[in-house]
Structures are given as C-alpha cells and as structure tokens.
Amino acid sequence: GFRKGSAEERLADFRGGGSIRVDKSRMSLAPPNILGYYCGLDAYSTYKLYTEVLLPAIHRLPAKFQEVFTWYHSLFITNVELLVQQQLRGVYVDVGQLSQFETKTRILIDDYSGQFRRHPEVASFLLEWEQKKMAEIAEPTKYKKLPVLGEAPAEFTKAGKPSKSYAAWLEKKKKIEALGPGEVSQVWLNWAASLPEKQEKAKFNLHSGSQRSWLFYEKLNKPVKVFTKSDKPATDKKALPGFGEPGLSLSKLDKQTKLLGFVEALRGQLDGDNLAHPRFNTPGTFTGRLGGSGGFNWQNLPKSGGFMKAISARPGMAWVSLDFASLENYVLCELSRDPSLLKLYGPNAPEFQDAYLFNASQLPIIGPKIRATGYDPNAPTEESINRAKKEAKKERDIGKVITLSANYGAGPGKIQQTLDLSGIKLSFNEAKQLHLAFWNLYAGIKEYRAWLEEEWERRGGWVFNGVGRPICVYVDVKKDLVNRVVQSTGHDCLMIFISYIYELVKSAGFVAYPVLLDTHDETIWECGETDAPKLKLIFEEALVLTNNFLAGGRDIIRLKGDAQIVYNLAENKGLVVD
C-alpha cells in the first residue's frame, strides 16, 4: 500500500484495465474513499468484538487472570504499535551492495553448475538424458504441400494449332518450379522459434528432484539413506552429502540458488526510496511469536555476509541491537532447574563454557577422548575449550548432533542417520547408548516435562507459561509441551524488554525507531549516529529492568545479552563479507 499517485491513478490500477472486478490482492491499490471506508469497518468490527465479546468473557474470570490479561494486553498492543511504526518507516537497503552480491552469486551458480555437469561420474548420464529428450522433440514438416501439376495435356490441338491447355500447364509448371521445395509452413516456423526453449528444457534440470533421483539412484546406484515425507528417496541437502563430489557441487549450487532467491525477493520489497517495509502476522504462531508475511520472511534471513551487509542503517544513522544469549536455554534452565543446565546457564556457571563440549564430554564412547585433552566440564577454561575443539573436533561434532537432535525429539535411529550423512559412522547400539546417556544427563528436563504434562491433564489441555500466560496445546502435539512453554516465555521476555526500551526512549530527549523490532531473541533500533551511545545505555538499562521485573524480588537466573552499535546486519551478526 505504498504506491504514490493521484486518487484517479490508484483507482485505475485498482480496477485493472477498466474492469471493476477485483480480488483482495489488489486491495492495497484502492483509493482512500474505498480503502479508508473498508479499514474503518474493519477497525470498528474488531473493536466491537473486543468490547462486547472478549472483555465480558475476561471479566468472568478470577481477578488473578484478569490482571495477567490486562498486563499482557498492554504489552501486546505496544508491540503492535511498534511493528506498525517499523512497517511504515521501512528498512533501508543498500542496492549497490545488493547488486554486487547478486553478481557474485550468479557467477558462483554458473561455476557450480559447470563443475557438476563436467564431472566424469555424471557427465555421460547427463548426455544420455539430454539426447533422449532431444529425440522426443519431433520436427514438423517444414514446407507446405506443393500444388499438384498433373499430367501434361497435348501440345497441339487436332487441327495442329498450339494447345491453350498445354500453355497453361507450362505456366503452372514454371510457378511450381519457382517455389523450389515449397513455402515454409507456419507450424514449422512456430516450432523453430520455440526450439531454443525446447532445447533448454531438454537439458538435465539440476534442481529437479525426480531427475536427481533418476541420476543418483537409478544410474549411479547410490544407497538410499534419506526419505522425503512421502517416503520417496530424498535428493535434498540432507541426502546430497552422501553422493560424493557431484553431491557436494549440487549442495553448493543449491545454497547459491537459494541466496539468489533471497536477493530477488528483497528487490521485490523495495519502494522508490530503496526502503523495504517488513510485514508480520502478530501473533503468527501458537506461542505468540511473530509470523512472516508479505512474501519475505525477515526472521529467517540467510547467514551470508554479502547479503546481510545490504540491509543497513540509513546514511548518517546507526543501529543498536541486543541479541539475548541462548534465550530459550536460560528460560528452560529457570523453569526446570535442571542441574546440568544450571552448570551451563545458572548464576554460578563458569565464565567460559561450550554446551556441545560440556554434553559430549559426559557421554560414553566420545567423552573420554574429550576429557583426555584436559577439558573439565565442571571447571572449563578458555584455553581448554579451544584445545578440545581442535583435538576432539569429531567428538564435539557428535555431541552437537546429539544435543540438537535429542532436543527436537529425535531417537537413536534418527541420530545415527544424521551422523551417517555427515560421514560419522556409529552403530545403532552406540547411538542408543549416547541418546540414553544424554537424557540421563538432563534428567531434570524430563522431570519438568512430566510435571507439565500433569498440569496439562489437570487443567484440561493448557498450562501457564513462565510469565503466567495461558498456553493451550492440542492433544496430538502434546510432545511439544515443553517447547511451547519455553518458546512462548522467551518471546514474552523479549516483548517486556522492548516495552522498556520504548518507554525509556520516549523520555530520553532523542528519537529512535524500531528497524527490526522482533526476530525471536533480538531487537534492532535505529537512531542518529551521535545518539547511538545513549541508545546503547538505554538497552543496557532496559535489560536490568526486564530481569528485575521477571524476578519480582525472587532469585532467578537472569537473562544476558550485550548491546552493540552496528551499521548493517552483517556487522550485527559478525559475518565476514567476502
């Protein structure tokens, strides 16, 4: 809805070439007398729903519930207000940097495509595929049928005079001979014009799952290790590492192709001032997190320095950001009080720690090798962590896979498969031992899950999250109970932090704007470059206020995060721009 132009121009666009039949996709083009009236009715109906349906229902609840609702409503509305401000103001994009990145990406796509097509293991099969497809491109008859000449009549009449019929036949013969093979047919001309496109389609499609499956499984007889959700042999990023060098080339190609898709999508977001206007659904998930909207997901950007650098502060402006350190792990630690989590995130946790080494060092099979480097999970040092990462890299990698997989509900079989695809061979029995040992290490989380499930049963399908907000969980996804509680609590903590920033900025005497307000565990604001140090101090004060609010006078595990002044997303994420 950011189109510029007169009401008449907007109405013409809205109608779409004179037709007044439109759908909701063109609503943003409507002139004010249409769009304004529609928005007014929308706002009024929402207000009536709130005042005449929701509030009366809330007022029938106990006072404690009403207090939580009133508090959360205020927090939610503040978040919505800031998201609207963010959308209207927009995020600046350095199109010069974006173009440079796009050029490099296209070059890499051509390089990886060429590497794959030329690889001796696959080249002959690609040729076989393309020859077969080319043979299927049937060429139509090129020339129209020539006129039928017929047999020559007698050259002379019975009276001996030259025959007029013969003269006409000669004239027709000359015309036919002048035509040569004949007039080219329009059907053939159309076929010839479309031939380059047909030839391109006949080439092996490097992005086609079915064609990849034909190549790797039918022709190269690769073993099937990964299946799609529909139980077909997979050829995606999980399966490609198992296909050797050709698979590696395709992995690189897929990555660059995906990056190019982000570039093109971001360009589609820009207005005439090189501003993108992020849109979100709030709430967009069951936990209350935002959901992406508008064809571009700002919460799932690629970790590419070249791309991220293009999303930057306006000239003369700076960003201040804060990314909570392991937000959901700190929340889970507080809620479950698991002894192992306390060693990682609790108030007495060592200054230096690496969660993957901590976990792996206490598991069978891989733990002894890590501890032999001098790493002690209960008293780690920066030096011992760095040495263990270097000397026991494989064991730490295994610990990382087990940690991430088990936390998302994976069993021994899935863990074994994931490790196998990354080139690490373990038997099923070994994977089972590691899985069991991991959950023995984190027995406190299992106890917390059991307690939550009892609460869920007792309350009839819902529980309170960490800040007292009710969270409903459908019976079919009860296994996600801990994740729903932890994720919703973490997001609520971020919203509390943002609300403190908002109030402090309003009373600070300078202007700051949300630029990427809410990306799960981080917020980024923009201000004048000279005001950035003051905004950084506000972030730090807001973090203290957030922890104090959450504590309510109790001893809690306090959330952590370092505010920083940056000028683009690459710098914000510490990404190298090559």
Side-chain angles (χ1 to χ4, degrees), residues 287-343:
T287 60
R289 277 181 166 189
L290 302 184
S293 179
F296 190 81
N297 191 351
W298 289 88
Q299 295 178 317
N300 189 29
L301 299 177
K303 291 180 174 60
S304 164
F307 179 82
M308 292 287 223
K309 185 179 179 182
I311 303 172
S312 63
R314 290 165 168 80
M317 307 287 278
W319 286 353
V320 176
S321 70
L322 185 140
D323 188 350
F324 281 101
S326 303
L327 176 59
E328 291 179 10
N329 288 327
Y330 274 90
V331 169
L332 181 58
C333 182
E334 167 64 26
L335 296 179
S336 69
R337 292 287 169 163
D338 175 82
S340 293
L341 284 178
L342 285 168
K343 290 181 180 180

Side-chain angles (χ1 to χ4, degrees), residues 450-481:
W451 178 83
L452 269 183
E453 289 177 352
E454 289 177 8
E455 285 289 292
W456 181 88
E457 293 280 359
R458 185 172 68 84
R459 297 183 183 279
W462 65 274
V463 294
F464 287 113
N465 79 348
V467 300
R469 179 162 66 91
I471 299 295
C472 298
V473 180
Y474 185 55
V475 63
D476 288 357
V477 290
K478 192 172 70 169
K479 64 181 180 63
D480 291 335
L481 193 55

Side-chain angles (χ1 to χ4, degrees), residues 180-241:
E183 183 182 354
V184 178
S185 72
Q186 188 60 47
V187 172
W188 188 90
L189 290 172
N190 293 340
W191 174 86
S194 65
L195 184 58
E197 182 181 351
K198 293 178 185 294
Q199 290 172 328
E200 187 63 29
K201 287 183 177 180
K203 292 178 67 176
F204 187 90
N205 185 348
L206 302 187
H207 302 288
S208 167
S210 61
Q211 293 181 33
R212 287 181 178 187
S213 184
W214 172 86
L215 174 65
F216 290 116
Y217 296 125
E218 292 186 33
K219 292 297 180 178
L220 295 176
N221 295 313
K222 298 292 185 181
V224 181
K225 297 181 179 181
V226 187
F227 290 88
T228 65
K229 290 182 180 179
S230 56
D231 290 327
K232 294 181 179 179
T235 58
D236 58 6
K237 65 179 181 181
K238 293 181 180 179
L240 288 175

